[in-house]
Amino acid sequence: MKRYSLLLLTLLATVASQAALLWKVTAPGSDKSSYILGSHHLAHASTLDAYPMLDSILTASEMMVCELSADEMNDPALASYLQTRMMAPADSTLSKVLNPATYATLDSLLQHYGLGSAAAYEPMNPMAVGTVIEVFTLMKEMPELMTSVGVDKSMMARATAAGKKVTGLETVERQAEILYGMPISEQAAALEKLLSSPSEITGKSREMYELYSAGDIDGLYALTHSSMTPEEEQRLLTDRNSHWVNFLLTLLPTSSVMIVVGAGHLGGPQGLLQLLRDNKYEVTPVSPNAL
């Protein structure tokens, strides 16, 4: 299910007993220290209150690195670009790729949320429709998570206020391709799976948020891993993590960097923390209200 929000998330035996969203990263043979903060795209900025040291870390950092740069996030053309990427090819609209029973379920669920009929979403690709369903389910069932000022936006605003450059690990085009460039058949199968048990959306979202609030990186990984097919995990997490680490390795030996990415990218054998350890970096958790 978490395939729709991107961004969302092996049990690391060496850190399993330590819950943290913030991690200190030290390059081998260097006195430079950087920090990685796991974010939750829907979590309220108040989550960061447990880490009052973030401002001092940001002050000491030379830049912030997020999934997308500040320039792209603030580009007025972003919304219209994403809308174009959410459209399906003319021969692959919803009624053509979903079976009649699934299409009827979709129509019923959309009307339940006051979002109109399935016909209104006919031109959209299945992944985009799944995103709409998940977001509006959360708005209805978990309004505490729906806020205009979340962890990501709050950290980006802090960096901007501190005069720090906010660069991105990938471009909007690349992220859109990852989300909406999947074969339509795979998107349709994922939407059908979501619609087969819509009641699970809230349950898993709440569980994920509780794991995030507890700083349980291993639990987030396990939940995300179980919610994805191997192909989805490769596309949405593993490949991106590898690309991101390769970029970070060009910065960390000589720069102090504040890194903010979805917490689902941190855990697991191919997560950012383990990949950095594999490259001889010292990676240690920073406890809330510590440092």
Side-chain angles (χ1 to χ4, degrees):
M1 178 199 65
K2 287 296 106 182
R3 61 184 64 84
Y4 292 116
S5 59
L6 264 184
L7 21 94
L8 289 152
L9 296 174
T10 123
L11 300 178
L12 300 174
T14 57
V15 300
S17 63
Q18 304 190 64
L21 296 174
L22 182 64
W23 299 76
K24 184 177 181 179
V25 178
T26 305
S30 172
D31 60 354
K32 293 289 187 179
S33 292
S34 295
Y35 291 83
I36 296 181
L37 175 68
S39 72
H40 182 299
H41 300 308
L42 297 178
H44 195 277
S46 60
T47 305
L48 301 177
D49 292 347
Y51 294 91
M53 73 290 294
L54 284 172
D55 284 332
S56 62
I57 290 174
L58 187 55
T59 297
S61 298
E62 296 165 48
M63 70 176 74
M64 178 180 285
V65 177
C66 298
E67 295 183 26
L68 297 175
S69 71
D71 288 343
E72 289 200 298
M73 285 292 291
N74 296 323
D75 187 347
L78 176 61
S80 60
Y81 169 75
L82 291 178
Q83 285 179 348
T84 63
R85 292 304 305 265
M86 294 167 71
M87 297 297 107
D91 61 352
S92 302
T93 54
L94 287 178
S95 62
K96 296 176 181 177
V97 298
L98 298 178
N99 64 57
T102 299
Y103 191 86
T105 300
L106 172 64
D107 186 70
S108 177
L109 193 60
L110 289 169
Q111 293 194 50
H112 172 71
Y113 289 123
L115 298 174
S117 66
Y121 297 81
E122 179 70 9
M124 295 174 66
N125 61 50
M127 186 67 75
V129 175
T131 300
V132 170
I133 292 171
E134 185 175 35
V135 168
F136 277 89
T137 298
L138 291 175
M139 289 178 65
K140 180 177 178 64
E141 307 295 341
M142 301 177 66
E144 68 272 21
L145 296 189
M146 304 309 297
T147 173
S148 60
V149 184
V151 169
D152 302 90
K153 287 185 178 181
S154 176
M155 288 303 299
M156 194 170 285
R158 291 190 193 192
T160 301
K164 305 294 181 178
K165 178 181 178 181
V166 181
T167 192
L169 289 164
E170 59 194 14
T171 63
V172 169
E173 288 81 4
R174 172 61 180 157
Q175 198 166 91
E177 176 60 24
I178 291 168
L179 283 175
Y180 304 126
M182 293 172 60
I184 291 292
S185 60
E186 292 183 19
Q187 293 189 40
L191 181 56
E192 289 181 356
K193 181 179 178 182
L194 179 74
L195 293 171
S196 69
S197 54
S199 61
E200 291 186 11
I201 298 175
T202 303
K204 286 191 175 181
S205 295
R206 188 173 295 282
E207 182 180 0
M208 183 165 286
Y209 183 69
E210 290 172 351
L211 289 168
Y212 175 78
S213 298
D216 189 349
I217 299 301
D218 291 339
L220 283 170
Y221 168 73
L223 181 60
T224 303
H225 176 73
S226 68
S227 301
M228 292 182 175
T229 66
E231 294 77 16
E232 289 167 345
E233 185 169 357
Q234 185 73 35
R235 183 184 184 92
L236 298 176
L237 292 180
T238 306
D239 288 347
R240 296 170 78 201
N241 290 347
S242 177
H243 175 77
W244 293 357
V245 163
N246 287 336
F247 174 73
L248 292 174
L249 292 177
T250 69
L251 297 177
L252 300 181
T254 58
S255 304
S256 294
V257 183
M258 178 80 242
I259 304 159
V260 182
V261 297
H265 291 279
L266 301 187
Q270 299 299 318
L272 294 182
L273 302 182
Q274 187 58 46
L275 292 177
L276 287 168
R277 290 191 178 102
D278 292 344
N279 282 277
K280 310 305 181 184
Y281 280 70
E282 181 181 357
V283 181
T284 55
V286 178
S287 300
N289 297 303
L291 191 64

